[in-house]
Amino acid sequence: MKDNWTLIIRPQQKLWSVDFKEIWRYRDLIALFVKRNIVIQYKQTILGPLWYIIQPVLTVIMNMVVFGGIAGMSTDGVPQILFYLAGNVCWFYFSDCLNQTSKTFTDNQAMFGKVYFPRMVVPISTVLSNLLRFGIQIGLFVVLYLYYFYAGTSVSPNSYLLLFPVFIILLAGLGLGFGILVSSMTTKYRDLTILFTFIVQLWMYATPIVYPLSMVPEGKLRMLILANPMTPVIEAFKYATLGQGYFSWEALGYSFAFMTVLLVVGIVVFNKVQRSFMDTV
């Protein structure tokens, strides 16, 4: 007698395909992973979720002392705390998604070897769980923003704030794409993890977070910085909230196209690696 609930697991035929219906069937597992990621991150810590706020505050203070005070870098007339916080909040979400999804295979190899579920569930849950930290840090930014706004400081929000969901999608998509690609590569070459950690640190300084793009003169260096897919997103966010920054539909379109290609390539490599992952590790 055939049971109606029996699930037949078949090998994936196309490397570039993602079975969204199957992922949706495992939405309860995604919710469980999201809860796990949030709980274990600051489990047995004294301050707990307060680190969500302490991290950006300490980072912004350091930026103000080093780049705003010692180096004397301009913030285009925007209060330093708002300028640095706007860039760092976006970068933290992107880098958290990237760094955590880049360990998908290595951190979950024991679980992957025992039970079947769509492997893409793990990086998706990581991106979703990081939204909590991002939301808290954006809340901190909004509180400080409103204080300076009503104090008469020259910050001028505009209609491009409506693009905020697009900014989140771009940050999450870029972090997920790079993360699953690196995760697939580090299953065989573990030393790439060390190299990539170093690259991410340098990448932050190649992104206009602690300096405005306006201070970079026209030339090859400016073109190189604009080629960074994170630059249009962070500059557009600053422009939408602070009224200062670089906004271009073409640049945002470039970031979106880059994210799309990156996700396709990442999914292909991810699907290929997961077929023989347990044999490699």
Side-chain angles (χ1 to χ4, degrees), residues 42-136:
Y42 293 113
K43 187 178 181 180
Q44 295 181 331
T45 59
I46 297 175
L47 299 178
L50 284 177
W51 285 110
Y52 290 151
I53 297 177
I54 295 174
Q55 181 191 15
V57 168
L58 293 179
T59 303
V60 168
I61 292 175
M62 183 61 66
N63 291 157
M64 292 172 65
V65 172
V66 176
F67 299 101
I70 299 176
M73 287 187 177
S74 170
T75 57
D76 285 346
V78 176
Q80 290 184 354
I81 189 171
L82 291 181
F83 181 86
Y84 294 131
L85 189 58
N88 278 296
V89 164
C90 293
W91 180 261
F92 285 154
Y93 179 61
F94 164 75
S95 62
D96 285 343
C97 292
L98 193 159
N99 289 326
Q100 293 173 25
T101 55
S102 67
K103 301 176 184 178
T104 297
F105 284 119
T106 55
D107 285 356
N108 298 279
Q109 55 182 308
M111 180 171 56
F112 285 173
K114 294 178 180 178
V115 62
Y116 170 79
F117 59 88
R119 305 312 188 204
M120 193 61 70
V121 161
V122 176
I124 290 175
S125 64
T126 299
V127 171
L128 294 177
S129 61
N130 284 329
L131 282 174
L132 174 64
R133 173 189 290 189
F134 182 66
I136 293 175

Side-chain angles (χ1 to χ4, degrees), residues 20-219:
F20 291 104
K21 291 184 179 179
E22 185 181 34
I23 293 176
W24 177 250
R25 286 200 302 269
Y26 283 84
R27 59 188 180 277
D28 291 337
L29 183 61
I30 294 178
L32 182 64
F33 281 152
V34 169
K35 182 179 179 180
R36 180 202 65 173
N37 294 340
I38 294 172
V39 171
I40 67 173
Q41 189 166 15
Y42 293 113
K43 187 178 181 180
Q44 295 181 331
T45 59
I46 297 175
L47 299 178
L50 284 177
W51 285 110
Y52 290 151
I53 297 177
I54 295 174
Q55 181 191 15
V57 168
L58 293 179
T59 303
V60 168
I61 292 175
M62 183 61 66
N63 291 157
M64 292 172 65
V65 172
V66 176
F67 299 101
I70 299 176
M73 287 187 177
S74 170
T75 57
D76 285 346
V78 176
Q80 290 184 354
I81 189 171
L82 291 181
F83 181 86
Y84 294 131
L85 189 58
N88 278 296
V89 164
C90 293
W91 180 261
F92 285 154
Y93 179 61
F94 164 75
S95 62
D96 285 343
C97 292
L98 193 159
N99 289 326
Q100 293 173 25
T101 55
S102 67
K103 301 176 184 178
T104 297
F105 284 119
T106 55
D107 285 356
N108 298 279
Q109 55 182 308
M111 180 171 56
F112 285 173
K114 294 178 180 178
V115 62
Y116 170 79
F117 59 88
R119 305 312 188 204
M120 193 61 70
V121 161
V122 176
I124 290 175
S125 64
T126 299
V127 171
L128 294 177
S129 61
N130 284 329
L131 282 174
L132 174 64
R133 173 189 290 189
F134 182 66
I136 293 175
Q137 293 177 350
I138 282 292
L140 173 64
F141 174 77
V142 170
V143 170
L144 293 172
Y145 184 88
L146 291 176
Y147 169 78
Y148 280 97
F149 181 79
Y150 288 109
T153 309
S154 58
V155 288
S156 52
N158 49 62
S159 59
Y160 291 108
L161 270 175
L162 297 175
L163 293 175
F164 183 70
V166 177
F167 300 152
I168 296 178
I169 292 173
L170 289 172
L171 293 172
L174 289 170
L176 177 63
F178 279 112
I180 61 177
L181 186 60
V182 173
S183 177
S184 304
M185 296 168 62
T186 53
T187 55
K188 188 174 182 180
Y189 307 103
R190 296 298 179 89
D191 53 345
L192 287 177
T193 304
I194 302 174
L195 175 62
F196 193 72
T197 301
F198 179 67
I199 290 175
V200 172
Q201 293 175 350
L202 293 180
W203 191 353
M204 185 184 71
Y205 294 104
T207 308
I209 297 173
V210 297
Y211 58 88
L213 185 63
S214 60
M215 71 176 294
V216 182
E218 295 289 343

